[in-house]
Amino acid sequence: MTTSAFRALHQGRTPDAPLVLPGPWDAATARVFADAGFPALATPSAAVAASLGYEDGATPPEEMFAAVARIVRAVAVPVSADIEDGYGLAPAELVGRLMETGAVGCNLEDSFRDGTLKDPRRHADWLSEVRAEAGDALFVNARVDTFLHGDGDLADAVSRARLYVAAGADCVYPILAPLDVLPALRERIAGPLNMFATPDGDSVAELGRLGATRVTFGPGLQRHVLEAAGALAARLGTP
């Protein structure tokens, strides 16, 4: 599936059927999700980091890009990659390295590794450069970290999202936005809206009803699997 086809998956969604993008952390889990019938996948950087033995945010870029490439090679469905804050790479290098993996899209967050929010206008200018380098070849999901690292101010989240859409972002992702502000976000932000879910949390249908265009899970699916693995290990006993 091409980037244009992946972009089309975000259009015409009904409130009861947002686009669900499971997050594989390696080739094996990518195959599981693709075989289950999901039309596309979105890697979570925290889960990929854990699979490689790193803390969230500490994965060297070359290892992250290599992991994304392995996931892309393992499946026939399109893959969008979480590449955090872009690793300090210039837009041309960032786009080039991402395109080499075969990914059709990416997450780019507006905070630094220490949790400090970036200046939204400077970040929008940078996103505009990324868009100019990529053309239509990448679906850009701009993460808005107001509710994760900021004070949760709705007006700030909306202002950031609007700047990023104007800069060429295809979708915005106000990560950890509370459910009660989702309708306001939907009303005030143009274009697709990504929302975060957990395996045992609010239903995908509920998020869609409140305004989500697409739903991703971050590292939640991996943590769910690891809990199951831990329970299995406990039943096996110790030597």
Side-chain angles (χ1 to χ4, degrees), residues 91-92 95 124-138 140 167-169:
V95 169
D125 289 343
W126 182 76
L127 288 174
S128 181
E129 292 181 49
V130 171
R131 170 54 68 209
E133 292 289 342
D136 291 332
L138 285 176
V140 177

Side-chain angles (χ1 to χ4, degrees), residues 125-228:
D125 289 343
W126 182 76
L127 288 174
S128 181
E129 292 181 49
V130 171
R131 170 54 68 209
E133 292 289 342
D136 291 332
L138 285 176
F139 184 98
V140 177
N141 186 35
R143 205 177 85 177
V144 177
D145 286 358
T146 300
F147 301 100
L148 175 64
H149 295 307
D151 59 6
D153 182 67
L154 175 61
D156 178 68
V158 170
S159 175
R160 287 173 179 270
R162 286 176 170 172
L163 284 170
Y164 305 158
V165 170
D170 296 282
C171 182
V172 291
Y173 179 16
I175 187 170
L176 297 189
L179 282 185
D180 60 357
V181 306
L182 180 49
L185 291 170
R186 174 67 288 162
E187 180 182 356
R188 302 177 194 181
I189 299 170
L193 192 63
N194 190 142
M195 287 296 288
F196 173 84
T198 62
D200 302 318
D202 301 299
S203 72
V204 167
E206 177 69 0
L207 291 170
R209 186 185 67 80
L210 292 173
T213 309
R214 80 181 209 180
V215 176
T216 54
F217 300 88
L221 300 179
Q222 183 192 55
R223 291 171 182 170
H224 188 79
V225 169
L226 292 178
E227 287 178 7

Side-chain angles (χ1 to χ4, degrees), residues 78-105:
V79 176
S80 182
D82 182 351
I83 49 173
E84 304 178 273
D85 69 346
Y87 306 113
L89 300 175
E93 183 178 0
L94 179 66
V95 169
R97 295 182 71 172
L98 185 58
M99 295 292 289
E100 288 175 356
T101 70
V104 300

Side-chain angles (χ1 to χ4, degrees), residues 56-57 85 109-118 145 148-149:
D56 184 20
D85 69 346
E109 55 202 48
D110 67 348
S111 62
F112 297 102
R113 275 188 59 183
D114 65 359
T116 304
L117 289 173
K118 296 182 179 182
D145 286 358
L148 175 64
H149 295 307

